[in-house]
Amino acid sequence: MKKELNYTDKIICEIDRAIRMNLGLLKPKKVAVKASYNDLTSEEKKISARLMRINHTGEICAQGLYQGQALSSQSREISGIMKKAAEEETDHLIWCEARLDELGSRVSYLNPLFYLGSFLIGSLAGVFGDKVNLGLVAATEDGVAKHLQGHLDKLPDTDQRSKEILSRMKEDEKRHADRALAAGGHQYPTFIRGLMTLASKIMTKTTYWF
């Protein structure tokens, strides 16, 4: 019989996962891309790397958000949904990191800070109940899907590997949003969505360079 983890055990597990994630020690469950390598100019590599760094940090934020929500949720079912989403997002995280390595670039120096902030937001959302918890997932993933489309439009046409990664991520994000709403997620008002968009822009502007 599998032993039920107490709250302290769960905290330790989350700390362990956060450390492994920020050190790049997590492993993907699905293959990232099949698109072949293309020679990119130095300028094209720079553009792609900056965009992929933003997306990598976005996945760091998603991990923090989902882990915080899973930890604070009083519902086993909702906690399970959050953990499942976090596992799927792990693939996105690793795909982006691998692509950055291929482009000869790096992840953002600010990742630990963004992870912590997202974890705290997720933990707070979980306290307010399942509808708010799931609504945050839906609103976040809907915004991410639109954000990814914008990056797909900005990537160099020759960078098919990055485009394939973002396209697959976009499909998963849309599915996560639909799943959260179907499970009873609350539709966030325009004002809250606006604040979330502002926070996303701050992350985007800083990680583009750092």
Side-chain angles (χ1 to χ4, degrees):
M1 183 176 179
K2 189 174 181 180
K3 181 183 177 182
E4 184 72 20
L5 296 179
N6 59 37
Y7 194 75
T8 301
D9 293 332
K10 292 178 181 178
I11 290 290
I12 293 173
C13 288
E14 297 310 326
I15 292 174
D16 172 72
R17 180 178 176 82
I19 292 173
R20 289 187 293 117
M21 179 185 61
N22 281 285
L23 291 179
L25 300 179
L26 299 181
K27 303 298 181 183
K29 292 185 177 181
K30 295 182 291 185
V31 176
V33 289
K34 297 179 181 179
S36 59
Y37 289 90
N38 288 335
D39 290 331
L40 304 178
T41 66
S42 59
E43 185 59 29
E44 288 173 334
K45 282 186 177 181
K46 185 184 297 184
I47 293 172
S48 291
R50 285 173 172 170
L51 294 176
M52 294 306 290
R53 181 159 57 245
I54 291 170
N55 290 303
H56 179 268
T57 299
E59 295 305 318
I60 288 284
C61 291
Q63 288 290 321
L65 193 69
Y66 285 137
Q67 295 300 331
Q69 289 176 285
L71 188 66
S72 63
S73 175
Q74 299 301 309
S75 167
R76 285 190 177 185
E77 180 182 358
I78 301 304
S79 181
I81 290 175
M82 299 303 172
K83 289 180 179 178
K84 175 63 176 176
E87 289 175 2
E88 293 179 350
E89 297 282 354
T90 298
D91 284 339
H92 301 174
L93 179 75
I94 299 169
W95 296 346
C96 289
E97 188 166 346
R99 185 58 183 146
L100 281 168
D101 186 59
E102 291 175 353
L103 292 167
S105 191
R106 56 166 177 78
V107 300
S108 172
Y109 298 127
L110 304 175
N111 281 345
L113 179 63
F114 282 115
Y115 177 85
L116 178 59
S118 299
F119 183 85
L120 293 175
I121 292 172
S123 299
L124 182 62
V127 172
F128 286 100
D130 295 341
K131 288 188 176 182
V132 172
N133 213 359
L134 291 167
L136 180 59
V137 174
T140 299
E141 297 292 29
D142 182 62
V144 171
K146 294 176 181 177
H147 162 86
L148 289 172
Q149 182 58 56
H151 279 197
L152 281 166
D153 295 337
K154 292 178 181 178
L155 280 169
D157 292 335
T158 50
D159 191 359
Q160 292 302 310
R161 288 178 70 80
S162 295
K163 284 179 176 289
E164 185 174 345
I165 290 171
L166 297 193
S167 294
R168 292 190 62 183
M169 287 169 58
K170 181 183 172 184
E171 293 174 4
D172 289 344
E173 311 296 4
K174 182 64 169 60
R175 187 175 66 256
H176 292 165
D178 292 342
R179 184 189 301 163
L181 289 175
H186 177 68
Q187 286 274 15
Y188 278 23
T190 303
F191 172 70
I192 298 297
R193 286 175 174 268
L195 291 177
M196 294 173 67
T197 299
L198 177 61
S200 176
K201 287 182 178 180
I202 292 173
M203 182 275 286
T204 299
K205 295 294 184 181
T206 53
T207 55
Y208 185 85
W209 300 103
F210 303 105

